[in-house]
Amino acid sequence: MLPMLLYCVSHPMGIWHMGSHIDEFGDDSMTQDDKARYIRIAAVTAIMGNGILAVLKIAFGVISGSNALLGDGIDSVSDVLISAVTLVVVRIAARPADKDHPWGHTRAETVAVAVLSFVLFYAGAQLIISSIATLLSGAIQETPDLSGLVAALVSIVGKILLAFSQRHYGRRSGSAMLAANAKNMAGDALISVGVLVGLFLSSATGSGLPDTILAALVGAWVIKTAVGIFLSANLELMDGGAGTGKYQIVFDAVNSVEGAGKPHRTRIRRIGGYWDIDTDIEVDPHITVEEAHNIASQVERAIKAKVENVFDVMIHVEPRGNEDCEEGFGLSENDP
């Protein structure tokens, strides 16, 4: 039936929190090439795993007459396509900076995550609307047999393994896309659990009604998680998301350097899986430009030693005691 076929685009991402805070990911030795390699490995793994599951579930969906299992198989086909898109996006994100993109192309990944959230929201809404329409129409659905239980069980195990795989490479690379896809796979495992339960309930009641109700519940889950994915991606696109803790680390790094003080007008933003950091510091107004430059260089090294995956650090030096009341952006260590 139509409600269950709409499973092909439903991705309830949220059985557990799988790395929604990307600043906890990655290691300080990761390069752009390393990140691209991890994402490629994760994408190929997802394509192969979901491809096998898709064939299995579609075949058993047809054999058993379970629309839910058939829809779950088509959902795995959509996961294959998402992973294929990931391979394309990683190529774009890995391009070096140019005159039109001086910060590089890494935010292509963030844009892809935001677009995915819109697709998920639409899918969830359509799933709910179709399910309600079916319930109101009073249409009688055929009861599938239990021959699809094996495929449903294999799907649950396979999706859980894929979820941990995507999570692992997401943590290694600091990739927001892989983190989102890990939640996607976890949510897909939940869908397969629902299919399994639906097969039992439909068999026990002799009705396809449990299948339709389950579809509506999954649709609500899809919408909820789609909104969460969008808000996370939008926070990066709006140059936010560092949190006060990251700023305090930068302030501590500045204060650890002799001759540097009063960090202010500090701004931290995420670019892909990396941090772009700007801050102003004050130094003795009587030292030479070279000495001030050396202090700024020490501050930059101190920040990079304390903050992982730094894209760039920009230090602006001011004479100690400088009073500029026009600074309307950035944070200082005295801010609440």
Side-chain angles (χ1 to χ4, degrees), residues 16 40 42 45 47 52 82 101 116 119 123 126 176-177 185 197 205 207 213 219 231 234 242 250 286 295 302 307 310:
W16 58 83
R40 282 194 295 269
T45 301
I47 288 174
I52 294 172
I82 289 173
H101 305 87
L116 175 61
V119 175
Q126 290 299 311
M177 180 177 295
M185 299 301 176
V197 173
T205 61
S207 168
I213 295 176
L231 292 177
N234 185 63
V250 171
H286 302 296
I295 292 175
V307 180
V310 172

Side-chain angles (χ1 to χ4, degrees), residues 51 103 224 302:
W103 278 276
K224 175 181 177 297

Side-chain angles (χ1 to χ4, degrees), residues 127-157:
L127 193 57
I128 293 176
I129 293 172
S130 298
S131 300
I132 293 176
T134 299
L135 291 172
L136 293 178
S137 70
I140 300 176
Q141 293 180 301
E142 295 182 1
T143 305
D145 62 45
L146 298 180
S147 62
L149 288 178
V150 173
L153 287 171
V154 172
S155 177
I156 293 170
V157 175

Side-chain angles (χ1 to χ4, degrees), residues 15-317:
I15 292 180
W16 58 83
H17 297 292
M18 302 186 77
S20 57
H21 301 291
I22 306 302
D23 55 295
E24 297 175 358
F25 292 0
D27 59 70
D28 53 7
S29 62
M30 184 184 66
T31 65
Q32 283 281 13
D33 289 340
D34 291 333
K35 178 176 180 177
R37 179 167 56 85
Y38 289 138
I39 294 176
R40 282 194 295 269
I41 293 173
V44 171
T45 301
I47 288 174
M48 294 177 63
N50 282 307
I52 294 172
L53 292 177
V55 172
L56 180 68
K57 288 185 285 189
I58 290 174
F60 274 88
V62 172
I63 293 171
S64 67
S66 171
N67 289 319
L69 187 58
L70 180 61
D72 196 11
I74 300 174
D75 173 67
S76 292
V77 174
S78 72
D79 289 334
V80 172
L81 296 177
I82 289 173
S83 297
V85 170
T86 300
L87 289 176
V88 175
V89 170
V90 72
R91 288 182 177 275
I92 297 174
R95 291 176 182 173
D98 54 43
K99 64 179 182 180
D100 294 322
H101 305 87
W103 278 276
H105 299 77
T106 55
R107 276 193 174 166
E109 180 183 345
T110 311
V111 173
V113 172
V115 171
L116 175 61
S117 72
F118 284 104
V119 175
L120 299 179
F121 186 93
Y122 177 80
Q126 290 299 311
L127 193 57
I128 293 176
I129 293 172
S130 298
S131 300
I132 293 176
T134 299
L135 291 172
L136 293 178
S137 70
I140 300 176
Q141 293 180 301
E142 295 182 1
T143 305
D145 62 45
L146 298 180
S147 62
L149 288 178
V150 173
L153 287 171
V154 172
S155 177
I156 293 170
V157 175
K159 287 294 186 179
I160 290 175
L161 292 176
L162 285 172
F164 277 106
S165 170
Q166 298 298 297
R167 179 176 184 264
H168 168 73
Y169 287 112
R171 292 181 67 87
R172 292 292 300 272
S173 65
S175 169
M177 180 177 295
L178 293 186
N181 208 27
K183 294 181 181 181
N184 178 19
M185 299 301 176
D188 286 344
L190 179 63
I191 290 179
S192 294
V193 171
V195 170
L196 186 66
V197 173
L199 285 171
F200 276 116
L201 291 179
S202 293
S203 178
T205 61
S207 168
L209 182 62
D211 219 31
T212 304
I213 295 176
L214 177 64
L217 294 176
V218 169
W221 189 303
V222 170
I223 289 178
K224 175 181 177 297
T225 53
V227 170
I229 292 293
F230 172 77
L231 292 177
S232 177
N234 185 63
L235 193 60
E236 177 176 334
L237 292 174
M238 294 293 290
D239 290 335
T244 56
K246 190 72 65 178
Y247 280 90
Q248 189 58 54
I249 293 175
V250 171
F251 298 149
D252 292 343
V254 172
N255 291 324
S256 70
V257 176
E258 184 178 357
K262 198 179 179 181
H264 59 286
R265 205 168 67 171
T266 303
R267 291 158 292 172
I268 305 176
R269 62 177 177 172
R270 177 165 287 285
I271 300 180
Y274 298 86
W275 295 108
D276 184 45
I277 303 172
D278 297 347
T279 189
D280 290 9
I281 62 172
E282 292 189 0
V283 300
D284 185 341
H286 302 296
I287 63 176
T288 65
V289 172
E290 183 177 4
E291 291 172 325
H293 171 74
N294 289 336
I295 292 175
S297 297
Q298 293 178 49
V299 169
E300 180 179 350
R301 289 193 293 271
I303 291 175
K304 288 182 176 179
K306 292 180 177 293
V307 180
E308 294 183 349
N309 299 329
V310 172
F311 176 79
D312 190 28
V313 178
M314 180 65 69
I315 309 296
H316 177 241
V317 177

